[in-house]
């Protein structure tokens, strides 16, 4: 006997359910998210196990651990934030769109970028670097951040190019049907194209080959997705958002 009454159990269930975010509602749509989360954890574990082989060697890449103000660290920190913004939008579209083509695109973006976040955060952990920048975004590319179009949120803090604002995300969540699909595609296209400058910069200037390779792979994949999104918008009689 545990001494718990049915009322106690009901209270416990009520307290637990109050802590669950609305986006995590029960239903068949939750299983891909669990698979994605498990994949991200696995990616982190595998990266930690092989980190000494990949990033622990000296040579043309310089010292084993990059400086905190290096392109390598800054890119991993900022692109993790940029990716999370895309994952928020993609997760919502996967769960709420009625269009199979949009849902497939959203799932592909969510799964790929979640895994990439895991990889970049694994590097930062190996380098004993903070998971995110504490001095503002894009300091690692200060010679180009103005040219790339840094935005600003209400409190004046800089926002990386292409990122959806809090207002954008609220508008997306409030939309329904074909209008929601179009808005998702518009926001994601702007997000991809806004981050292209960061990806190109890291692909050329990061100190470690693995970081340059990942940035280049991201740029190739997102350029292809952007082309597909433009076509999807045209098929729906919609135009991209202003940059």
């Amino acid at each position: 006997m545990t001494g718990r009454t049915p009322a106690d159990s009901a209270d416990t269930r009520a307290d637990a359910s109050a802590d669950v975010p609305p986006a995590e509602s029960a239903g068949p749509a939750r299983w891909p998210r669990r698979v994605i989360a498990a994949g991200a954890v696995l990616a982190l574990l595998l990266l930690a196990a092989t980190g000494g082989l990949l990033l622990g060697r000296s040579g043309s890449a310089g010292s084993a651990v990059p400086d905190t103000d290096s392109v390598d660290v800054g890119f991993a920190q900022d692109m993790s934030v940029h990716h999370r913004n895309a994952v928020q939008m993609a997760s919502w579209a996967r769960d709420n769109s009625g269009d199979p083509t949009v849902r497939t695109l959203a799932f592909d973006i969510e799964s790929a970028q979640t895994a990439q976040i895991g990889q970049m955060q694994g590097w930062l952990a190996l380098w004993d670097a903070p998971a995110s920048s504490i001095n503002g975004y894009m300091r690692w590319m200060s010679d180009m951040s103005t040219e790339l179009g840094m935005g600003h949120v209400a409190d004046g803090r800089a926002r990386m190019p292409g990122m959806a604002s809090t207002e954008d995300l609220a508008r997306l969540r409030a939309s329904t049907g074909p209008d929601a699909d179009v808005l998702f595609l518009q926001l994601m296209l702007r997000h991809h194209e806004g981050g292209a400058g960061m990806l190109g910069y890291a692909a050329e200037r990061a100190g470690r080959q693995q970081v340059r390779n990942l940035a280049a792979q991201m740029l190739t994949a997102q350029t292809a997705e952007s082309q597909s999104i433009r076509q999807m918008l045209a098929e729906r009689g919609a135009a991209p958002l202003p940059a």
Side-chain angles (χ1 to χ4, degrees):
M1 295 288 292
T2 62
R4 294 176 59 84
T5 68
D8 292 334
S9 299
D11 290 341
T12 301
R13 289 193 298 271
D15 292 341
S17 64
D19 293 333
V20 177
E24 296 293 333
S25 59
R30 294 185 61 185
W31 72 264
R33 192 168 297 162
R34 294 194 184 105
V35 173
I36 292 166
V41 172
L42 179 59
L44 280 168
L45 293 173
L46 291 174
L47 182 64
T50 59
L53 294 176
L54 292 179
L55 296 172
R57 297 175 180 174
S58 61
S60 61
S63 60
V65 178
D67 295 334
T68 55
D69 60 352
S70 65
V71 172
D72 303 70
V73 169
F75 169 74
Q77 291 172 331
D78 288 356
M79 194 50 64
S80 290
V81 174
H82 204 270
H83 269 21
R84 288 190 188 104
N85 188 249
V87 168
Q88 281 183 288
M89 294 188 286
S91 175
W92 184 91
R94 175 180 54 76
D95 286 350
N96 292 277
S97 175
D99 187 323
T101 305
V102 172
R103 287 202 308 271
T104 297
L105 172 69
F107 177 79
D108 289 346
I109 292 172
E110 182 186 21
S111 57
Q113 296 207 11
T114 298
Q116 289 164 355
I117 291 169
Q119 186 171 0
M120 292 184 289
Q121 288 295 304
W123 285 343
L124 292 170
L126 289 169
W127 297 334
D128 197 26
S132 59
S133 173
I134 59 176
N135 297 316
Y137 298 135
M138 296 171 65
R139 296 293 182 89
W140 50 281
M141 52 185 307
S142 58
D143 57 326
M144 290 192 64
S145 59
T146 302
E147 297 175 26
L148 292 173
M150 289 281 280
H152 290 81
V153 293
D155 62 6
R157 291 182 298 116
R159 183 176 66 239
M160 286 177 280
M163 287 185 66
S165 66
T166 301
E167 293 76 16
D168 290 332
L169 295 173
R171 189 156 53 101
L172 178 63
R173 295 183 183 114
S175 59
T176 58
D179 289 343
D181 294 334
V182 166
L183 182 57
F184 165 70
L185 294 171
Q186 290 172 326
L187 291 173
M188 190 58 70
L189 177 63
R190 187 175 66 183
H191 190 279
H192 274 7
E193 294 184 342
M198 298 168 64
L199 296 174
Y201 191 98
E204 292 179 359
R205 307 194 192 190
R208 276 138 191 82
Q209 185 66 48
Q210 290 77 20
V211 179
R212 294 195 298 273
N213 288 346
L214 180 62
Q217 291 164 9
M218 289 177 181
L219 183 58
T220 298
Q222 292 185 195
T223 298
E225 285 176 346
S226 294
Q227 293 171 347
S228 296
I229 292 172
R230 283 184 174 274
Q231 181 177 348
M232 291 169 71
L233 283 171
E235 291 169 351
R236 289 160 177 77
L241 295 173

